[in-house]
Amino acid sequence: VAPSRGLGDVYKEAVYELDVDGTSHLTAGEDSFQSFTVLDGSVTLRTANSELTFQKGETSFLPAGLGAYTLTGKARLVLSKI
């Protein structure tokens, strides 16, 4: 039986705390998907095709290759890239 590997051995993950106050311009590249959770406040996610607003406690998953997007509002987030 081969030894098992943890996810940390396979995937590289980066986690950031992000304060949005106005508009932040971000990109979800081809190499990884992203997710964010709103810790405080509210933020509007805008992509080329949609617009959604997220409140404290809500989470969004963004697919790899989404491209450019903006977050607008006043919020504190945890942003993860895997």
Side-chain angles (χ1 to χ4, degrees):
V1 175
S4 63
R5 297 187 328 185
L7 289 177
D9 297 333
V10 178
Y11 300 104
K12 300 286 186 207
E13 181 177 5
V15 179
Y16 307 93
E17 184 173 337
L18 179 64
D19 288 312
V20 176
D21 189 2
T23 300
S24 294
H25 299 271
L26 302 162
T27 302
E30 294 289 335
D31 57 336
S32 68
F33 74 86
Q34 298 178 14
S35 68
F36 68 82
T37 300
V38 179
L39 301 176
D40 196 28
S42 67
V43 67
T44 298
L45 165 69
R46 288 185 179 90
T47 69
N49 300 319
S50 65
E51 180 177 313
L52 298 167
T53 299
F54 296 87
Q55 307 292 329
K56 180 179 179 177
E58 295 182 318
T59 298
S60 177
F61 289 93
L62 308 172
L66 175 69
Y69 67 94
T70 61
L71 296 174
T72 303
K74 186 164 179 66
R76 188 168 53 98
L77 316 170
V78 171
L79 174 69
S80 300
K81 297 180 181 183
I82 296 179

